[in-house]
Amino acid sequence: MKPVIGVMPLWDEEKDSIWMLPGYMDGISRAGGIPIIFPFLEDEEELSRLINLCDGLVFTGGQDVSPRIYHEEPLEGLIDDCEKRDSMEEIILERAIAEDKPILGICRGIQFINAALGGTLYQDIPSQHPSATDHHQQAPYELPIHEVRIVEGTPLHECLKVDKLPVNSLHHQAVKTVAPGLTEMAISPDGIVEALYRPESHFLWAVQWHPEFSYLTDESAMKIFRAFIEAIIYKD
């Protein structure tokens, strides 16, 4: 049976509604999973029932991660967060790790996972870590804008079998200090952490770039989706 994948919802503040980029759903489907979009819930029992329905979870992109999670004051005028999303995802991540459910984080996903597990973030790369590396490209978003170095000996290096990878990039926050229990898998030319994994988990990977934009044209993007789904199928 195909595994069911819970996908964290994107939030449109202006329209007061959840929404979803089709690339998340199609990438999961093409890799062999059945994606479902989570609603926003606050009740832990209701969230637990939803998590029980899922074989794996994807933490998607979207709003900034609130600095409250890593005990910092927000930089004035530079943070666009979503408190109800942060609160819900804290519950989901804790439960998913406790049950060792496979997890894939993308863009905001790597930032949220790192912050929730005890790491910190650059709240704003241009003001806190300026460099010549473009981390916030213009459309078309499926095209690569810079390279990352894949750390040898990591699961990502084993999966992609390359030392360097051209990636797309669309973010202004990033991992600053890596959370305890997480390990770097990819680094940008200016030293920004671009991928993490948790060795103690069966599968917890997170990447800073966007395979949901590039999966149709970049085989490495599909390899990441497939690695996630295969980790579920062959978990036992």
Side-chain angles (χ1 to χ4, degrees):
M1 294 178 64
K2 292 183 176 181
V4 175
I5 309 301
V7 182
M8 299 304 105
L10 307 181
W11 174 249
D12 188 319
E13 184 72 31
E14 185 177 334
K15 295 180 179 179
D16 192 30
S17 64
I18 64 171
W19 66 288
M20 183 52 56
L21 285 164
Y24 288 114
M25 312 300 279
D26 194 37
I28 291 167
S29 295
R30 286 171 180 261
I34 302 172
I36 60 171
I37 305 170
F38 271 34
F40 277 121
L41 296 173
E42 297 180 0
D43 186 274
E44 292 194 28
E45 183 177 347
E46 292 176 352
L47 281 172
S48 292
R49 292 186 65 184
L50 265 182
I51 294 166
N52 287 340
L53 296 174
C54 298
D55 302 295
L57 297 156
V58 173
F59 288 78
T60 56
Q63 278 90 353
D64 297 335
V65 176
S66 173
R68 73 170 179 81
I69 294 179
Y70 48 99
H71 311 295
E72 290 186 8
E73 291 297 317
L75 297 177
E76 187 173 355
L78 293 175
I79 301 299
D80 176 23
D81 60 1
C82 179
E83 184 176 342
K84 62 182 177 181
R85 180 174 177 183
D86 287 338
S87 298
M88 182 181 80
E89 290 188 3
E90 283 184 293
I91 296 170
I92 293 169
L93 181 64
E94 181 179 6
R95 172 74 180 273
I97 289 177
E99 297 185 6
D100 202 19
K101 287 184 181 284
I103 293 167
L104 176 63
I106 295 174
C107 193
R108 168 195 152 91
I110 187 174
Q111 299 160 16
F112 174 78
I113 290 168
N114 185 68
L117 295 182
T120 64
L121 304 179
Y122 291 109
Q123 294 187 37
D124 180 65
I125 295 172
S127 59
Q128 295 184 311
H129 190 84
S131 78
T133 303
D134 187 355
H135 290 285
H136 202 278
Q137 73 186 82
Q138 301 299 310
Y141 300 122
E142 70 271 16
L143 298 181
I145 192 69
H146 67 76
E147 282 191 339
V148 298
R149 175 178 61 85
I150 308 298
V151 178
E152 189 174 354
T154 63
L156 188 63
H157 190 272
E158 182 179 343
C159 174
L160 301 182
K161 295 178 171 50
V162 295
D163 297 324
K164 291 185 178 180
L165 180 71
V167 298
N168 52 11
S169 189
L170 190 63
H171 61 110
H172 86 106
Q173 293 196 319
V175 171
K176 185 178 182 181
T177 58
V178 175
L182 298 182
T183 300
E184 298 172 1
M185 292 201 293
I187 311 291
S188 66
D190 59 354
I192 292 291
V193 175
E194 294 273 346
L196 294 168
Y197 80 110
R198 186 173 186 266
E200 289 186 12
S201 294
H202 175 68
F203 187 102
L204 192 165
W205 291 13
V207 298
Q208 184 59 73
W209 60 92
H210 289 270
E212 82 280 9
F213 285 132
S214 60
Y215 69 101
L216 290 176
T217 56
D218 180 5
E219 179 59 22
S220 70
M222 272 310 305
K223 284 182 177 180
I224 291 170
F225 280 121
R226 289 194 199 104
F228 170 56
I229 298 300
E230 288 174 4
I232 298 169
I233 294 173
Y234 300 113
K235 184 176 180 182
D236 297 327

